[in-house]
Amino acid sequence: MSKANYQDVQKKYKKKSRLSEIWRQFRKNKAAVFGLVVLLIIILAACSADLFWDYQKDACDLNIPERLQKPSAEHILGTDEMGRDILCRLVYGARVSLRVGICAATFALLVGGTLGCIGGYYGGKVDNLIMRVTDVLLSIPGLLLAIAIMSAFKTTEFFLALALGISYISKFTRIVRSSILSVRDEEYIVAARAIGAKDSTIILRHILLNCMAPILVQYALAIGTRILSVSTLSYIGMGIQAPTPDWGNMLSGARTYIRGNSYLVMGPGMALLLTICSFNLIGDGLRDALDPKLKK
Amino acid sequence: MVKYSLKRLVYMIPVTIAVVFIVYLIMYLTPGDPVALMLGAEATPELIQETREALGITKPFLTQFTNYVVNLFQGDFGVSWYTGREVAERLFASIPYTLILTFSGMFVALICSIPMGVMAAVKQNTPVDYIVSVLAICGVSAPSFWVGIMLILLLAVEFQLLPSAGIDGWTSYIMPTLTMGFNMLASVTRTQRSSMLEVLRADYIRTAKAKGVSNFNATYKHALRNAIIPAITVAGINFGTLMAGSVAIETVFAIPGVGRLMIDSIKLHDTPTVVGCMVFVALMVSIINLVVDLLYAFIDPRIKAQYIREGGSK
């Protein structure tokens, strides 16, 4: 075996073993595995919705003759106040929630992460400016900031994701900045600088890879909280608008009819609870799996 | 100590101005004409223009913003663009509802979560611990407006014990308070449990037990005092979230609080009222953060010493 080939194999083996070690730790946490399974089921259901239903006809159009039917063989979760199958709307609602939640969290991670990197690595005046702005944004509760931003935008999925993303940027800025500060003056960073590595290489390859754990955990938790905020905004009428199915606006539509029709609020509520729960469990599981202190 | 608090209070001034700037800017960029909304469909273009000028909406953004800030620091929240009356009037009328709700929710959460967290830590890996953990994860994940609806179904519709919406005597606050408390209960319980677990294994607890301190005293006198700080931090940090969450809870229970006022005003493009609500929330969050920081000093003498050092050096 040539030397280059040997290094290649060694590299591959090492990479795999690190990931499999994390997976091994993650698997030990039963609650986290439960969360992962639930999430996969929800994603699978959301992806395969078109096989069973027609989006426009079943999830959006009115069907007054069949309104407010209790759960039966034909409609497993019953029909809502407009006569639409609740299960069908739940599944299409999952698409909206996951899409907006993941996009918002990713946007916040990218923007907040970049700002945190710049502030943490370079320090000085730039850092000071970024942190002051972050302080101000943190003194406005995220949900209220998102509501205010939504008032300036049209209520579409894109703007909803943007508003919920912007309101979470400051959290990521803080986390990324503090993780960078904790390793910035380590010897291996000084060494990398001494051999003339570029700043971008040092930040991306040496620093970020070493403080991935808290950022990843926060990302998983962020998706959960973003989905919660999507539904809250839709519930108070500042998010996804009817007839587009969303768990939040399904609950607000059902609010007037709950007397005698309690099944109306069970489905969307349980869907929200399970989805957010699964992200929280996965986040907790990742935290334990990635924490080097717990490794034996 | 006093110096430290004063410094923090002074720091709130630029934060408030920045909050006003952000919210005012967002509202300024919001499409739609508040005056046309206020005057209705029959208003003539001349009347609309006149009213716009009278309210000062035609002025450029920076002038409007500066005027607002100058007035705000004289205690004037401006005039509502929708009702034409003082913003302060409606704002101060709705503040009590939100404050009662938030503080009672926080109180319920704290008196339930700290014993629960301690119990879960003391009886680690027993059914008690598991039940507390499941409750906590559900509390973090359940949307508060849904919890509110479920409570209404159970206590107002099924058993008809409590009024389902509106404010009519103190019984109307029970369900909103429980809803609010449930959410916060979870995060405080989790923190209390993990910090308690850490402290229970500390050397000084072992020393205390070796000296013959009873198990009860070691847990509740020696350990709890040290383990309670992270729980209070989390409660403080969550105060803002709790206040923001009151928007949804006030909607569910039809409570005329600050959250409701803000949502209604946003829909009407009533900028002065929206900014007023936001300023109130931001100030409350800053003040609570300060109170939490000062609370540490009472609980932990080490932190008190630090504040005094910092305050004295500058």
Side-chain angles (χ1 to χ4, degrees), chain A residues 132 135-137 139-141 143-145 147-149 151-152 228 231-232 235-238 251 255 258-259 262 265-266 269-270 272-273 276-277 280-281 284, chain B residues 11 15 18-19 22 26-27 30-31 137-138 140-143 145-146 149-150 152-153 157 164 190 240 244 247-248 251-252 262-263 266-267 278 281-282 285:
Chain A
R132 288 295 83 79
D135 278 350
V136 171
L137 285 177
S139 69
I140 309 177
L143 187 67
L144 296 188
L145 185 62
I147 291 173
I149 298 173
S151 69
L228 188 63
S231 67
T232 309
Y235 181 80
I236 56 176
M238 308 282 303
L251 282 171
R255 175 71 176 84
I258 51 171
R259 252 165 234 275
S262 54
V265 292
M266 294 297 173
M270 288 311 287
L272 271 169
L273 182 66
I276 298 163
C277 209
N280 284 337
L281 291 173
D284 284 356
Chain B
Y11 183 65
V15 170
V19 168
I22 294 172
I26 294 172
M27 291 306 287
T30 305
I137 196 90
C138 284
V140 180
S141 311
F145 57 92
W146 182 63
I149 294 176
M150 297 309 279
I152 290 178
L153 268 177
V157 176
S164 71
R190 290 174 63 156
V247 172
T251 309
V252 174
M262 200 178 92
I263 301 283
I266 283 180
K267 286 177 181 161
M278 280 289 199
V281 173
V285 171

Side-chain angles (χ1 to χ4, degrees), chain A residues 172-183:
Chain A
F172 273 114
T173 308
R174 274 210 157 167
I175 287 161
V176 173
R177 178 177 175 273
S178 63
S179 341
I180 285 196
L181 281 182
S182 67
V183 295

Side-chain angles (χ1 to χ4, degrees), chain A residues 141, chain B residues 101-103 105-107 109 179-181 183-184 235 237-247 249:
Chain B
L101 207 60
T102 321
F103 281 110
M106 195 153 172
F107 179 71
T179 312
M180 219 164 206
N183 198 314
M184 184 143 148
I237 291 171
N238 276 346
F239 181 82
T241 324
L242 208 63
M243 265 207 132
S246 73
V247 172
I249 294 174

